[in-house]
Every structure is written in C-alpha cells, then in structure tokens.
Amino acid sequence: MNDWIVPDWPAPASVGALATTRSGGVSRGPWRSLNLGLNSGDNAADVMRNRELLNALLPASAHYLQQVHGNVVMPHPGPHPGMQPGTQPGTQPGTQPGTQPGTKPGLQPGT
C-alpha cells in the first residue's frame, strides 16, 4: 500500500505531508480499495479497516476532518493533540488551521 505521494518541497524538517492513492485497501464497488471517507457511502467497517491499514504504516494515528468548501474561516476548538506547547491554530482570515485532513504530527517526507 505504500505508494502514497510525498511532496518535494522546501519545508522545515518538522513538517511532513503525504497523499494516499486508492491502492491497498479493502473497500469494494465504486469505492474500490483504499477509501478513507466515512461520509462517502462506503461500508463503514471497510473504511475503518482502511484507516487501520494506513495507521499501521504511520508514526501516529491520522486525524480526519470533514472537508467543507467555502470562504468562511472557522475557529479551531482547541489544540490538536500533536501540536507543540505554545502554538495555536489560525483563527483569522489568511492564517492556517492547526490540522489538515489526514495530516500526522511529526510525519517526515519519505517515511
């Protein structure tokens, strides 16, 4: 399953990211293979198993958010469990939230 996409960007060593592909999971039908979305119509047990498979390859459990398209900035309810002391998520337009869908604190590119 480790055919995810890792960006090659000039980021601090403490910043990592990846994008999964659809291969390596257990979902069937139109969600075939690695579907990670619980609100997609896929069988919830299959999605949870896919998430378990992904988490087994990562240094910490992934956190999933509900993606919403719009132009409104919503305040984050509090620190993310992986945030360093003294940091806080953005709450003003133009700032970044503390987490993004599927991010993992401390994940290094290529891991």
Side-chain angles (χ1 to χ4, degrees):
M1 172 174 47
N2 195 352
D3 67 340
W4 50 50
I5 300 162
V6 178
D8 181 15
W9 57 11
S14 62
V15 175
L18 66 86
T20 58
T21 65
R22 296 291 296 270
S23 66
V26 300
S27 293
R28 297 171 297 260
W31 305 278
R32 183 172 38 259
S33 204
L34 188 68
N35 176 37
L36 301 169
L38 280 172
N39 61 353
S40 64
D42 192 1
N43 178 291
D46 288 348
V47 172
M48 295 309 294
R49 179 65 184 137
N50 289 336
R51 289 181 176 194
E52 289 171 4
L53 291 168
L54 177 61
N55 283 338
L57 299 173
L58 299 176
S61 294
H63 296 272
Y64 296 88
L65 305 175
Q66 180 178 354
Q67 183 177 4
V68 176
H69 297 277
N71 61 359
V72 177
V73 175
M74 299 297 293
H76 193 278
H80 183 280
M83 291 178 71
Q84 297 297 317
T87 62
Q88 64 182 18
T91 57
Q92 301 298 316
T95 62
Q96 296 296 314
T99 60
Q100 293 289 326
T103 60
K104 309 233 0 132
L107 181 66
Q108 299 299 314
T111 59

